[in-house]
Amino acid sequence: MGNKGPGASRAQWWWVASIVSLIFLWSRASAQIRYSIAEEAKEGTVVGNIAKDLGLEMNALKERGCRIVEGSTESFFHVNQNDGILYIDRIIDREKVCERSSVCLINLKTVLENPLEIHYVTVEVLDVNDHSPGFSSTELRLEISESVLPGLRLQLQAAHDPDVGQFSVKEYKLSNNDHFRLEVKDRGKDGKIPVLVLLKTLDRETKKSHKMLLTAIDGGKPSKSGTAELIIDVLDINDNMPVFTDDTYTVFLEENAPIGTTVIKVNATDLDEGSNGEIFYSLGNNVNRRIRELFRIDPNTGEIIVKELIDFELGESYEIDIQASDKGSAPFRTDKSVLVNIVDLNDNTPQIEVTSFSKAIPEDARLGTTVALISILDKDSGLNGKVICSFVEDVPFTLSPSTQDNMYSIVTKSRLDREKQSIYDVTVVAKDAGEPSLSSEKSITVVISDVNDNSPEFLVSPYTYYVAENNSPGASLFSVRASDRDEGENSRVLYHILRDGKDHSKLNLFNLNINSENGDIMALKSFDFEALKTFQFHVVASDSGTPSLSSNVTVNVFILDQNDNAPVILYPVSSNGSAEGVEEIPRNVNAGHLVTKVRAYDADIGYNGWLLFSLQEVTDHSLFALDRYTGQIRTLRSFTETDEAEHKLLILVKDNGNVSLSATATVIVKVVEPKEAFAASDVKSSTKADEDNNVTFYLMITVGSVSALFLVSIIVLISMQCSKSTDFTSKYLPEPNYDGTLCHSIQYRSGDKRYMLVGPRMSIGSTIVPGSHANTLMLPDRRGISGEVR
């Protein structure tokens, strides 16, 4: 034991020293560095300076044979022995080198000899977004039964993006549709999975397949995307019945037709598919034994085939009930009848049968509208049963042959107008090709029904009416009439007043109403000529069709004056408002001296407003005279000593209406001595002189202005009358008037007639209404045309 201890101890120390020496030498002979580069970097891109990073001497690299040793068969890098820089030899595709690895590392060995040194270099290839997401197929197809309820969730195939991390697929989108929406399920490292959710029940008969665009988008900036067409095929269930293509089946069959002859081929379709849409045919359950002996039906083609010889004399026609059934697990069945007519030799005339007929055709029917369907039945066969149809009359219809023999459609060939002709008697002639030929005729009455294609038409446009003022409220004033060439409800005309525009307030002022049924127009308030002389409104006539048509007409209303205003005394007027005045005159005045002038006013016009003055009472008829037109009171003679000093004159002022209205004024004339008269009237005359001068001045200006305006109006009237037709016009020609007690004359034209109205206070804007014979004078027309006021 004592001999072995020292030897073993020396051996252990030797091994320890050897291991330490090797570790020291290894640390000197090897080292490890790491670089990062982006994929797709160009050839010759610098990765890093190996010599510098490893602390190697530049001049020793070439001598020691510095080189790169890669673990793979492909070489991506080389080192420049002159400067120790590591370069890229070829473009690196990270997805090929590392596939789906989250970290892509390429391990390199840098080898130097004399002495041998190995240094490890790790190059990390960083990912760039150089790939778009892609689906394994550009078309993804799924099948969903039309019976599936909403809420179904189907996991779709995920898109693949060779890039990783943030550049992988981040979201999915589905194109807009009504039946599906898209959800995205995150499965962590396995990525995101699209899930299709059914929103609405599918109907294969409405849409057999649904095509949508599924888009996968990665997380790059900018992002890249890939698409696939998602096709949802709707699987059928047996939810539709077979439907025959024709509503009726009628066929003619020659007697003694060979066995195996196809009588007719019926056809039914089923919107379902597969076995649910496969049709087989059979005779109906109620088909009698005789028909089963004569006919059979091919279950696959729907052909009705003759089994035995058919004799016309035993039966002229046979109605065969057939069934069309599908092959679903719970089959649907549809019944139909086929009429087989047996054709004899040419000993029967063709029979015309109207199989479908419209009782009335609307007048706006399009060209080609079917009026009637007719079938020609000829019990003969071959040429003997060949029938040609035609019309006898020239009518706006034509015969259109059907795909079935001896079937015709009567269709329109030109436009119809019920207002021109409402009924057509059409005679259809059917003639067979037998020898001798036989023919027959059939008359069809085609009634053209009305459509609302005509607007109401007024009998007159515009309407012009003359209405006397003070009319009875609620009484019918006048009426408008419109007619409609349509019939029935389309011609029923209703009236209403269009209540808008500038005359709306005038209509409301008199509460103007119209009877919607007959067009009678009434006013709930009386007209007042002095407030309104004329107004205009519009009446709308609407028919009762759908949609309703309407037209409107202008109604011009002229208010005729009535003698409803009594004269008003303007002078003399006393301080208490009574028509009474006192005039003082010298005793030495001569005959013809103007004592005073009575002034009066009447709001009416024409004869109703034409005032006449007369002396009703006077103390001495030999002293004073009154001008009946001007109201001037003058002396007839000089005063004598025996004449009284005070005289009372009662003046009656009345208009010229049919029922005359009047007013009275009292003038007290005091006769004074000249000196007293002069002294009493000194102040009064001075003031009155100024007033008279002013009145005379303004009167001259007014007369001159009115005269000038009168001449201009005459010229304009003449030019307009020469250039216009004889339609109704009204032009007003004002005459000068000095103070309202004389008459105005106003000329106007209505058609070919000229009239003049005479009355006081006529302004240019006033409207004069012809028709009142009390204040209207008819003047001879310059063109030689005369007439009466209507």
Side-chain angles (χ1 to χ4, degrees):
M1 291 293 294
N3 292 334
K4 289 183 181 180
S9 178
R10 284 194 299 271
Q12 290 175 356
W13 280 107
W14 184 84
W15 279 109
V16 170
S18 298
I19 291 172
V20 171
S21 300
L22 288 172
I23 292 173
F24 176 75
L25 291 173
W26 177 255
S27 64
R28 286 180 56 97
S30 66
Q32 185 171 359
I33 57 177
R34 183 167 179 163
Y35 298 107
S36 295
I37 62 169
E39 67 170 325
E40 306 293 340
K42 295 182 179 179
E43 297 179 8
T45 300
V46 175
V47 178
N49 193 323
I50 293 177
K52 180 180 178 181
D53 294 335
L54 293 176
L56 302 176
E57 296 180 1
M58 295 292 183
N59 54 6
L61 295 178
K62 194 169 187 180
E63 295 177 359
R64 298 181 62 184
C66 180
R67 68 185 184 276
I68 296 297
V69 178
E70 299 185 27
S72 62
T73 56
E74 295 181 313
S75 175
F76 294 104
F77 307 95
H78 76 276
V79 65
N80 190 325
Q81 294 181 349
N82 294 321
D83 52 16
I85 296 176
L86 183 64
Y87 293 94
I88 295 177
D89 268 352
R90 53 191 296 184
I91 295 175
I92 301 173
D93 187 351
R94 183 187 183 282
E95 286 70 32
K96 289 183 178 180
V97 175
C98 299
E99 295 185 354
R100 298 292 297 176
S101 299
S102 59
V103 178
C104 183
L105 301 176
I106 299 177
N107 296 314
L108 308 176
K109 295 178 182 178
T110 304
V111 180
L112 293 90
E113 300 177 351
N114 299 322
L116 178 62
E117 289 184 25
I118 299 176
H119 301 279
Y120 293 94
V121 178
T122 299
V123 180
E124 181 182 1
V125 181
L126 302 177
D127 190 24
V128 296
N129 193 22
D130 58 343
H131 291 85
S132 298
F135 293 91
S136 59
S137 175
T138 58
E139 181 178 289
L140 306 179
R141 188 176 290 271
L142 297 176
E143 293 182 346
I144 302 177
S145 174
E146 61 179 327
S147 62
V148 172
L149 298 177
L152 175 68
R153 301 168 65 87
L154 296 175
Q155 185 171 300
L156 303 179
Q157 180 184 3
H160 172 71
D161 193 330
D163 297 323
V164 297
Q166 64 175 351
F167 301 130
S168 61
V169 177
K170 294 300 181 184
E171 63 174 322
Y172 291 90
K173 290 184 179 180
L174 190 66
S175 58
N176 291 333
N177 66 95
D178 296 332
H179 291 82
F180 300 94
R181 66 180 176 88
L182 193 67
E183 293 182 356
V184 179
K185 183 178 181 181
D186 193 348
R187 301 186 63 175
K189 65 179 182 178
D190 292 333
K192 297 181 183 297
I193 306 299
V195 178
L196 188 67
V197 181
L198 179 64
L199 298 177
K200 293 171 60 176
T201 303
L202 303 175
D203 185 1
R204 191 200 66 81
E205 287 71 37
T206 302
K207 196 171 185 180
K208 294 182 178 180
S209 64
H210 298 262
K211 294 183 179 181
M212 296 163 284
L213 190 65
L214 180 62
T215 304
I217 304 171
D218 62 22
K221 293 184 180 180
S223 62
K224 293 188 176 182
S225 63
T227 60
E229 186 178 28
L230 178 60
I231 301 176
I232 308 298
D233 293 321
V234 184
L235 299 181
D236 184 49
I237 62 173
N238 192 22
D239 57 348
N240 289 279
M241 298 182 63
V243 177
F244 283 94
T245 55
D246 292 333
D247 294 332
T248 59
Y249 290 95
T250 303
V251 66
F252 295 92
L253 178 67
E254 295 180 2
E255 62 175 332
N256 301 321
I259 296 174
T261 300
T262 298
V263 180
I264 190 173
K265 181 178 181 180
V266 296
N267 185 38
T269 58
D270 194 316
L271 294 177
D272 297 322
E273 65 179 4
S275 61
N276 296 330
E278 293 181 9
I279 306 296
F280 70 92
Y281 304 90
S282 62
L283 295 176
N285 296 329
N286 297 322
V287 173
N288 60 42
R289 182 181 59 83
R290 176 58 181 165
I291 293 178
R292 291 182 182 273
E293 291 174 354
L294 293 177
F295 304 98
R296 67 180 179 87
I297 187 168
D298 190 299
N300 298 318
T301 63
E303 294 177 338
I304 298 177
I305 301 171
V306 176
K307 290 175 61 178
E308 291 184 2
L309 292 177
I310 299 173
D311 188 355
F312 175 80
E313 284 68 32
L314 296 179
E316 297 181 1
S317 63
Y318 299 92
E319 186 172 358
I320 306 173
D321 293 331
I322 59 174
Q323 295 178 350
S325 303
D326 59 32
K327 297 181 179 180
S329 57
F332 287 107
R333 182 182 68 187
T334 302
D335 297 326
K336 185 65 69 174
S337 295
V338 178
L339 180 63
V340 180
N341 294 307
I342 309 304
V343 180
D344 195 11
L345 298 177
N346 193 26
D347 56 352
N348 295 281
T349 57
Q351 300 296 319
I352 302 174
E353 179 183 0
V354 180
T355 59
S356 178
F357 178 65
S358 299
K359 293 182 178 180
I361 300 297
E363 60 178 319
D364 63 346
R366 295 182 178 180
L367 300 182
T369 299
T370 300
V371 177
L373 296 175
I374 62 173
S375 62
I376 311 301
L377 176 63
D378 193 327
K379 296 180 181 180
D380 299 324
S381 61
L383 291 176
N384 296 328
K386 187 69 175 178
V387 180
I388 299 175
C389 287
S390 61
F391 288 137
V392 175
E393 304 89 353
D394 182 15
V395 291
F397 308 104
T398 185
L399 283 165
S400 176
S402 175
T403 54
Q404 296 184 10
D405 291 339
N406 298 331
M407 290 288 292
Y408 293 86
S409 299
I410 299 177
V411 298
T412 57
K413 70 175 182 179
S414 59
R415 297 291 182 185
L416 304 175
D417 189 350
R418 188 203 64 82
E419 287 70 34
K420 293 182 178 179
Q421 187 169 350
S422 59
I423 297 177
Y424 292 91
D425 291 322
V426 180
T427 303
V428 181
V429 177
K431 184 178 182 180
D432 64 26
E435 292 292 340
S437 177
L438 300 176
S439 63
S440 62
E441 296 183 355
K442 188 174 184 66
S443 295
I444 300 174
T445 300
V446 180
V447 178
I448 309 302
S449 64
D450 185 47
V451 297
N452 194 22
D453 58 347
N454 290 279
S455 300
E457 296 179 357
F458 283 94
L459 303 181
V460 178
S461 180
Y463 281 93
T464 300
Y465 289 104
Y466 304 96
V467 180
E469 64 174 332
N470 302 319
N471 55 294
S472 300
S476 177
L477 299 176
F478 46 82
S479 63
V480 295
R481 292 290 186 271
S483 60
D484 196 312
R485 294 193 297 158
D486 297 320
E487 66 177 2
E489 285 297 309
N490 295 332
S491 64
R492 180 169 173 261
V493 179
L494 298 177
Y495 305 88
H496 71 274
I497 296 175
L498 188 63
R499 298 184 182 275
D500 59 0
K502 61 183 181 179
D503 288 324
H504 180 54
S505 59
K506 298 180 181 179
L507 300 182
N508 292 336
L509 180 64
F510 298 105
N511 289 341
L512 204 63
N513 287 328
I514 187 170
N515 188 316
S516 61
E517 297 292 336
N518 57 26
D520 289 345
I521 297 174
M522 64 196 73
L524 301 182
K525 292 184 179 180
S526 298
F527 294 121
D528 185 0
F529 175 81
E530 287 70 35
L532 179 67
K533 295 177 176 55
T534 180
F535 63 93
Q536 181 186 87
F537 63 96
H538 299 277
V539 175
V540 179
S542 305
D543 58 31
S544 301
T546 303
S548 176
L549 301 178
S550 63
S551 60
N552 60 69
V553 69
T554 300
V555 180
N556 297 301
V557 179
F558 296 93
I559 311 302
L560 300 179
D561 185 37
Q562 298 293 310
N563 193 22
D564 57 347
N565 289 279
V568 177
I569 305 300
L570 300 178
Y571 183 85
V573 177
S574 65
S575 59
N576 60 4
S578 62
E580 183 175 345
V582 177
E583 297 291 337
E584 294 182 349
I585 59 174
R587 183 178 291 275
N588 61 350
V589 295
N590 296 323
H593 175 75
L594 177 63
V595 176
T596 187
K597 177 179 178 179
V598 178
R599 292 184 176 87
Y601 160 78
D602 194 318
D604 298 321
I605 68 166
Y607 283 101
N608 296 327
W610 186 5
L611 303 181
L612 295 178
F613 301 84
S614 62
L615 281 171
Q616 291 295 102
E617 296 180 11
V618 60
T619 55
D620 190 344
H621 288 282
S622 65
L623 276 177
F624 302 101
L626 174 66
D627 191 301
R628 66 175 304 187
Y629 297 110
T630 65
Q632 292 180 347
I633 301 173
R634 295 181 180 272
T635 57
L636 291 175
R637 61 178 177 80
S638 299
F639 289 94
T640 64
E641 293 296 331
T642 61
D643 292 328
E644 296 181 1
E646 182 174 311
H647 300 269
K648 179 180 178 182
L649 285 72
L650 180 64
I651 293 92
L652 175 68
V653 183
K654 67 176 182 177
D655 56 31
N656 282 270
N658 290 333
V659 179
S660 179
L661 301 177
S662 63
T664 60
T666 301
V667 178
I668 305 297
V669 181
K670 293 183 178 181
V671 182
V672 297
E673 295 303 322
K675 292 181 180 181
E676 296 177 2
F678 177 78
S681 62
D682 189 18
V683 177
K684 179 179 177 181
S685 61
S686 62
T687 304
K688 188 173 181 180
D690 294 338
E691 180 182 352
D692 291 341
N693 290 335
N694 292 335
V695 171
T696 304
F697 175 73
Y698 289 123
L699 181 60
M700 292 176 63
I701 293 177
T702 303
V703 171
S705 301
V706 172
S707 300
L709 183 60
F710 172 76
L711 292 176
V712 172
S713 300
I714 287 294
I715 296 172
V716 172
L717 179 62
I718 293 173
S719 62
M720 292 181 67
Q721 290 299 325
C722 292
S723 61
K724 284 191 174 183
S725 63
T726 59
D727 293 341
F728 176 80
T729 59
S730 291
K731 304 298 177 184
Y732 306 106
L733 308 178
E735 294 288 347
N737 185 348
Y738 68 97
D739 59 2
T741 59
L742 291 182
C743 299
H744 284 197
S745 66
I746 297 181
Q747 300 182 28
Y748 68 94
R749 174 175 296 279
S750 176
D752 296 331
K753 304 169 187 176
R754 293 178 62 237
Y755 301 93
M756 181 180 74
L757 296 179
V758 181
R761 198 179 54 81
M762 307 304 289
S763 62
I764 296 176
S766 300
T767 303
I768 303 307
V769 181
S772 175
H773 299 287
N775 57 9
T776 305
L777 300 178
M778 185 175 67
L779 302 180
D781 197 328
R782 289 167 297 182
R783 296 176 292 181
I785 301 175
S786 62
E788 296 295 334
V789 178
R790 192 178 53 180

